[in-house]
Structures are given as C-alpha cells and as structure tokens.
Amino acid sequence: MMEIRKLPAAAGAEWLLSAFRLLRRSPMGFGLLALIYAGLSFALVLGVQFAPAVGGALQLIFFVIGPLLIAGMIFAAHEVDQGREAAPAHLLAAIRTGRTWRVISTLLPQLAVVLVCLALLYVIVGQQSVEKLMEVSLKLQAEAQTKGAIDPNLMADLLKELPVGRLLMWIIAVFAIGFGAIFFTLTIIPDMMFTEVRLVEAMKRSYRVCTRNLLSLLLFLIMGFVVMMAFSVGLGILGALASMVGGDKAMLLVNSLGNGAFVVFLAAAMYFAWKQMLGESPAATQVEETPGIAM
C-alpha cells in the first residue's frame, strides 16, 4: 500500500534547504556532474550554431538524454544522502540499473504538454498570426546573428504586427498548464528510479502527494522561483563580464556552467520532495545494477 505523507507547509522550503546542504557534503562530486551537464549543453549550442542543418537532431538527442542525466543526478543525491560520494558514473545510473526506458518514458507527459500548448496557440492566436510570429522570430534571429544584437526599434516595429493581447492570453494558459503538469511530474523520476512503478502509476502517485501537500508544493515553487531569479541575476552579471573578456562564446560557456549547477540543485530538491512525501522503504533504497533494460 502506497504511503502518502502529509507534511507541514514548511516542508517545501526544507526540500530546497536540504538540497543546499546535500551539495555542500559532496561539492567535488556534484561539481563534476554539473560540469558534465554544462559541457553537453555548451556542445549542443555550438553544434546548433555551426551546423544548423543538424541542429534539430542534436536538440532531439539532448531532449531524450535529459531525463537520464537528471535521473543520474537524483541517484547521486540518494547516494550522498546515504553517506557516500557523488560521482560522474552516477549519470549512467538509469542505464546501469535497467531503468532506461522507464526514465525516457517520462518525456511523454512533457510531449503531451507541448502538443496541448501548440494546439492552444493556433486556437487562441490563429494560424495567420502564428505564421506572422514565426516570421518575426526569424527576422529577430537573423538580426541577432548578423549584428550581434537586436535593434530595439526593429523589435518594436515587428511586435506592432502581432496580436499582443491574444499572445498574452496564450502565455497565461501555458503557465496554467505548466503548473498543472507539475502535479503529475514532480516525483515521477525518483519514483521510477527507486521503486518498481511504471509511468502511469508514478504520475498518479505524484498527483496524489502534490494535492495532499498543496501548501508545501506552493511554498517550494515560490521559493524555488525566488532562488532561480536571484541565480539568474548573478549568472547574468557573470555572463556579461565574461562576454567583455572573451566574447559571446565565453558568455555562453558561463551560462552553460550556471545551468548545469542549477539542474543539479533542482534534482537534489526533487529527490527530497519524493523522499519526504512518498517515503522510502528498505526495498526502495536497494537499486541493484542489472544487465537488462526494463521499461
């Protein structure tokens, strides 16, 4: 029988604080995980820039391996929580434990959200406006690539051609859908890494624990947003300084490093959210390496 713990509202803040404390227990190990993620992200950006023809394929590859990397970070968080050290090999934990396709299947809810948002874009904004939006995006992208920056006057002129009101309605709808999706996805990766549940059951469990601990979830999201904004400001300053010294590539590298660090932190917070809300039985903590790959 699944155990769903009812936590106080302050638990949402505790997930973030526990993640900070955990990272301090293995700074070198988690730093290497962040560095590997940043390196892959930086390579992706450079690949898209220098080989646009294969950019879509590179983005698809990174999209697929993304959950595997996050699962590895969550596994590393579990190991450090148990008194061991984080290591780069943990990024392959999903593969080594035979949970590759289980973890990759967590992309299905994300794809569903993307499709729903795209459908709403056409419904709310309209096909002609969507086509115009794509034209504007291409023009702004070309401007940025040729001149290194976007002319504010050009941006203002192009935005006048778009239905800003309907775009705002769509953005609000996307935020609402994204918030709802969190209920179904917050704990599914750690749940599928440390237990034998499959995707649908993991989504049900995530929804139940999130609805039962709604105040904790809200506090977690609010404080997480504050942390993200503060982190983004600091990263923006470092990126600007790096750009002055080493150009755009240096700024991209700094951004990639910052994103890697934040993803590791977020993975640790997801681990503690799962651990405290769903519980961790002795069977759940024994993740053995198997030669096969289970779905």
PDB file of all heavy atoms in Angstrom, residues 24 60 72 104-105 115 118 120 128 149 159 180 195 215 239 259 266 272 286:
ATOM      1  N   ARG A  24      26.693  20.656  -0.374  1.00  0.00           N
ATOM      2  CA  ARG A  24      27.889  21.009   0.399  1.00  0.00           C
ATOM      3  C   ARG A  24      28.605  19.769   0.921  1.00  0.00           C
ATOM      4  O   ARG A  24      29.796  19.822   1.221  1.00  0.00           O
ATOM      5  CB  ARG A  24      27.498  21.913   1.567  1.00  0.00           C
ATOM      6  CG  ARG A  24      27.014  23.298   1.152  1.00  0.00           C
ATOM      7  CD  ARG A  24      26.519  24.103   2.338  1.00  0.00           C
ATOM      8  NE  ARG A  24      27.564  24.286   3.331  1.00  0.00           N
ATOM      9  CZ  ARG A  24      27.359  24.858   4.515  1.00  0.00           C
ATOM     10  NH1 ARG A  24      26.130  25.291   4.837  1.00  0.00           N
ATOM     11  NH2 ARG A  24      28.358  24.987   5.368  1.00  0.00           N
ATOM     12  N   LEU A  60      17.139  17.111 -30.394  1.00  0.00           N
ATOM     13  CA  LEU A  60      16.336  15.933 -30.088  1.00  0.00           C
ATOM     14  C   LEU A  60      17.119  14.953 -29.218  1.00  0.00           C
ATOM     15  O   LEU A  60      16.580  14.394 -28.250  1.00  0.00           O
ATOM     16  CB  LEU A  60      15.886  15.248 -31.377  1.00  0.00           C
ATOM     17  CG  LEU A  60      15.062  13.964 -31.209  1.00  0.00           C
ATOM     18  CD1 LEU A  60      13.776  14.256 -30.453  1.00  0.00           C
ATOM     19  CD2 LEU A  60      14.762  13.338 -32.574  1.00  0.00           C
ATOM     20  N   GLY A  72      20.240  10.433 -13.116  1.00  0.00           N
ATOM     21  CA  GLY A  72      21.561  10.171 -12.555  1.00  0.00           C
ATOM     22  C   GLY A  72      21.890  11.125 -11.422  1.00  0.00           C
ATOM     23  O   GLY A  72      22.485  10.732 -10.402  1.00  0.00           O
ATOM     24  N   ILE A 104      13.095   7.438 -19.773  1.00  0.00           N
ATOM     25  CA  ILE A 104      12.802   8.129 -21.027  1.00  0.00           C
ATOM     26  C   ILE A 104      11.293   8.303 -21.223  1.00  0.00           C
ATOM     27  O   ILE A 104      10.841   9.299 -21.801  1.00  0.00           O
ATOM     28  CB  ILE A 104      13.427   7.365 -22.213  1.00  0.00           C
ATOM     29  CG1 ILE A 104      14.951   7.485 -22.174  1.00  0.00           C
ATOM     30  CG2 ILE A 104      12.916   7.904 -23.551  1.00  0.00           C
ATOM     31  CD1 ILE A 104      15.673   6.733 -23.272  1.00  0.00           C
ATOM     32  N   SER A 105      10.510   7.363 -20.703  1.00  0.00           N
ATOM     33  CA  SER A 105       9.053   7.471 -20.852  1.00  0.00           C
ATOM     34  C   SER A 105       8.486   8.688 -20.132  1.00  0.00           C
ATOM     35  O   SER A 105       7.364   9.121 -20.418  1.00  0.00           O
ATOM     36  CB  SER A 105       8.366   6.201 -20.342  1.00  0.00           C
ATOM     37  OG  SER A 105       8.455   6.098 -18.924  1.00  0.00           O
ATOM     38  N   LEU A 115       2.256  19.585 -27.012  1.00  0.00           N
ATOM     39  CA  LEU A 115       1.224  19.485 -28.055  1.00  0.00           C
ATOM     40  C   LEU A 115      -0.020  20.282 -27.686  1.00  0.00           C
ATOM     41  O   LEU A 115      -0.619  20.954 -28.538  1.00  0.00           O
ATOM     42  CB  LEU A 115       0.878  18.009 -28.282  1.00  0.00           C
ATOM     43  CG  LEU A 115       1.982  17.157 -28.925  1.00  0.00           C
ATOM     44  CD1 LEU A 115       1.548  15.698 -29.003  1.00  0.00           C
ATOM     45  CD2 LEU A 115       2.327  17.684 -30.316  1.00  0.00           C
ATOM     46  N   LEU A 118       0.766  23.963 -28.154  1.00  0.00           N
ATOM     47  CA  LEU A 118       0.784  24.321 -29.574  1.00  0.00           C
ATOM     48  C   LEU A 118      -0.631  24.399 -30.136  1.00  0.00           C
ATOM     49  O   LEU A 118      -0.947  25.303 -30.929  1.00  0.00           O
ATOM     50  CB  LEU A 118       1.604  23.294 -30.353  1.00  0.00           C
ATOM     51  CG  LEU A 118       3.117  23.352 -30.155  1.00  0.00           C
ATOM     52  CD1 LEU A 118       3.800  22.213 -30.917  1.00  0.00           C
ATOM     53  CD2 LEU A 118       3.678  24.693 -30.619  1.00  0.00           C
ATOM     54  N   LEU A 120      -3.336  25.118 -28.466  1.00  0.00           N
ATOM     55  CA  LEU A 120      -3.944  26.342 -27.935  1.00  0.00           C
ATOM     56  C   LEU A 120      -3.408  27.587 -28.643  1.00  0.00           C
ATOM     57  O   LEU A 120      -4.135  28.572 -28.802  1.00  0.00           O
ATOM     58  CB  LEU A 120      -3.670  26.448 -26.434  1.00  0.00           C
ATOM     59  CG  LEU A 120      -4.504  25.533 -25.528  1.00  0.00           C
ATOM     60  CD1 LEU A 120      -4.071  25.692 -24.076  1.00  0.00           C
ATOM     61  CD2 LEU A 120      -5.988  25.841 -25.674  1.00  0.00           C
ATOM     62  N   GLN A 128      -2.889  32.511 -39.009  1.00  0.00           N
ATOM     63  CA  GLN A 128      -2.186  33.607 -39.680  1.00  0.00           C
ATOM     64  C   GLN A 128      -1.255  34.343 -38.722  1.00  0.00           C
ATOM     65  O   GLN A 128      -0.123  34.686 -39.088  1.00  0.00           O
ATOM     66  CB  GLN A 128      -3.194  34.587 -40.275  1.00  0.00           C
ATOM     67  CG  GLN A 128      -4.001  34.021 -41.435  1.00  0.00           C
ATOM     68  CD  GLN A 128      -4.923  35.053 -42.047  1.00  0.00           C
ATOM     69  OE1 GLN A 128      -5.180  36.101 -41.448  1.00  0.00           O
ATOM     70  NE2 GLN A 128      -5.426  34.768 -43.241  1.00  0.00           N
ATOM     71  N   ALA A 149      23.310  41.857 -31.930  1.00  0.00           N
ATOM     72  CA  ALA A 149      22.299  42.381 -31.012  1.00  0.00           C
ATOM     73  C   ALA A 149      21.058  42.726 -31.819  1.00  0.00           C
ATOM     74  O   ALA A 149      21.097  42.831 -33.047  1.00  0.00           O
ATOM     75  CB  ALA A 149      22.812  43.608 -30.270  1.00  0.00           C
ATOM     76  N   LEU A 159       6.799  43.875 -33.285  1.00  0.00           N
ATOM     77  CA  LEU A 159       5.797  43.498 -32.295  1.00  0.00           C
ATOM     78  C   LEU A 159       4.445  44.156 -32.566  1.00  0.00           C
ATOM     79  O   LEU A 159       3.403  43.618 -32.193  1.00  0.00           O
ATOM     80  CB  LEU A 159       6.284  43.861 -30.889  1.00  0.00           C
ATOM     81  CG  LEU A 159       7.441  43.008 -30.346  1.00  0.00           C
ATOM     82  CD1 LEU A 159       7.877  43.503 -28.978  1.00  0.00           C
ATOM     83  CD2 LEU A 159       7.024  41.541 -30.265  1.00  0.00           C
ATOM     84  N   GLY A 180      -0.174  22.908 -13.706  1.00  0.00           N
ATOM     85  CA  GLY A 180      -0.898  21.656 -13.537  1.00  0.00           C
ATOM     86  C   GLY A 180      -0.035  20.443 -13.818  1.00  0.00           C
ATOM     87  O   GLY A 180      -0.160  19.409 -13.145  1.00  0.00           O
ATOM     88  N   THR A 195      11.719   2.729  -7.121  1.00  0.00           N
ATOM     89  CA  THR A 195      10.668   1.744  -6.901  1.00  0.00           C
ATOM     90  C   THR A 195      10.392   1.032  -8.224  1.00  0.00           C
ATOM     91  O   THR A 195      11.028   1.314  -9.238  1.00  0.00           O
ATOM     92  CB  THR A 195       9.375   2.402  -6.378  1.00  0.00           C
ATOM     93  OG1 THR A 195       8.750   3.148  -7.436  1.00  0.00           O
ATOM     94  CG2 THR A 195       9.655   3.339  -5.208  1.00  0.00           C
ATOM     95  N   LEU A 215       0.129  23.072   0.075  1.00  0.00           N
ATOM     96  CA  LEU A 215       0.823  24.229   0.642  1.00  0.00           C
ATOM     97  C   LEU A 215       2.336  24.057   0.560  1.00  0.00           C
ATOM     98  O   LEU A 215       3.066  25.013   0.263  1.00  0.00           O
ATOM     99  CB  LEU A 215       0.389  24.441   2.099  1.00  0.00           C
ATOM    100  CG  LEU A 215      -1.068  24.876   2.307  1.00  0.00           C
ATOM    101  CD1 LEU A 215      -1.370  25.028   3.795  1.00  0.00           C
ATOM    102  CD2 LEU A 215      -1.354  26.175   1.566  1.00  0.00           C
ATOM    103  N   GLY A 239      27.917  36.452 -16.834  1.00  0.00           N
ATOM    104  CA  GLY A 239      27.911  36.287 -18.278  1.00  0.00           C
ATOM    105  C   GLY A 239      28.323  37.552 -19.004  1.00  0.00           C
ATOM    106  O   GLY A 239      29.069  37.511 -20.000  1.00  0.00           O
ATOM    107  N   ASN A 259      23.715  26.849 -15.696  1.00  0.00           N
ATOM    108  CA  ASN A 259      22.568  25.959 -15.888  1.00  0.00           C
ATOM    109  C   ASN A 259      22.858  24.564 -15.338  1.00  0.00           C
ATOM    110  O   ASN A 259      21.987  23.927 -14.732  1.00  0.00           O
ATOM    111  CB  ASN A 259      22.217  25.876 -17.375  1.00  0.00           C
ATOM    112  CG  ASN A 259      21.626  27.158 -17.906  1.00  0.00           C
ATOM    113  OD1 ASN A 259      21.066  27.956 -17.149  1.00  0.00           O
ATOM    114  ND2 ASN A 259      21.754  27.391 -19.202  1.00  0.00           N
ATOM    115  N   LEU A 266      18.351  21.413  -8.540  1.00  0.00           N
ATOM    116  CA  LEU A 266      16.942  21.079  -8.707  1.00  0.00           C
ATOM    117  C   LEU A 266      16.711  19.574  -8.563  1.00  0.00           C
ATOM    118  O   LEU A 266      15.725  19.137  -7.962  1.00  0.00           O
ATOM    119  CB  LEU A 266      16.454  21.558 -10.072  1.00  0.00           C
ATOM    120  CG  LEU A 266      14.959  21.378 -10.378  1.00  0.00           C
ATOM    121  CD1 LEU A 266      14.124  22.166  -9.377  1.00  0.00           C
ATOM    122  CD2 LEU A 266      14.649  21.828 -11.797  1.00  0.00           C
ATOM    123  N   PHE A 272      14.489  15.074  -2.465  1.00  0.00           N
ATOM    124  CA  PHE A 272      13.964  15.256  -1.113  1.00  0.00           C
ATOM    125  C   PHE A 272      12.443  15.390  -1.118  1.00  0.00           C
ATOM    126  O   PHE A 272      11.779  14.938  -0.173  1.00  0.00           O
ATOM    127  CB  PHE A 272      14.607  16.473  -0.452  1.00  0.00           C
ATOM    128  CG  PHE A 272      15.991  16.205   0.053  1.00  0.00           C
ATOM    129  CD1 PHE A 272      17.093  16.742  -0.591  1.00  0.00           C
ATOM    130  CD2 PHE A 272      16.194  15.392   1.153  1.00  0.00           C
ATOM    131  CE1 PHE A 272      18.380  16.474  -0.136  1.00  0.00           C
ATOM    132  CE2 PHE A 272      17.484  15.120   1.619  1.00  0.00           C
ATOM    133  CZ  PHE A 272      18.575  15.667   0.968  1.00  0.00           C
ATOM    134  N   GLN A 286      17.333  -0.043  -2.296  1.00  0.00           N
ATOM    135  CA  GLN A 286      18.265  -1.014  -2.857  1.00  0.00           C
ATOM    136  C   GLN A 286      18.096  -1.082  -4.364  1.00  0.00           C
ATOM    137  O   GLN A 286      17.286  -1.832  -4.884  1.00  0.00           O
ATOM    138  CB  GLN A 286      18.019  -2.404  -2.229  1.00  0.00           C
ATOM    139  CG  GLN A 286      18.215  -2.421  -0.716  1.00  0.00           C
ATOM    140  CD  GLN A 286      19.628  -2.048  -0.329  1.00  0.00           C
ATOM    141  OE1 GLN A 286      20.583  -2.486  -0.962  1.00  0.00           O
ATOM    142  NE2 GLN A 286      19.768  -1.253   0.717  1.00  0.00           N
TER     143      GLN A 286
END
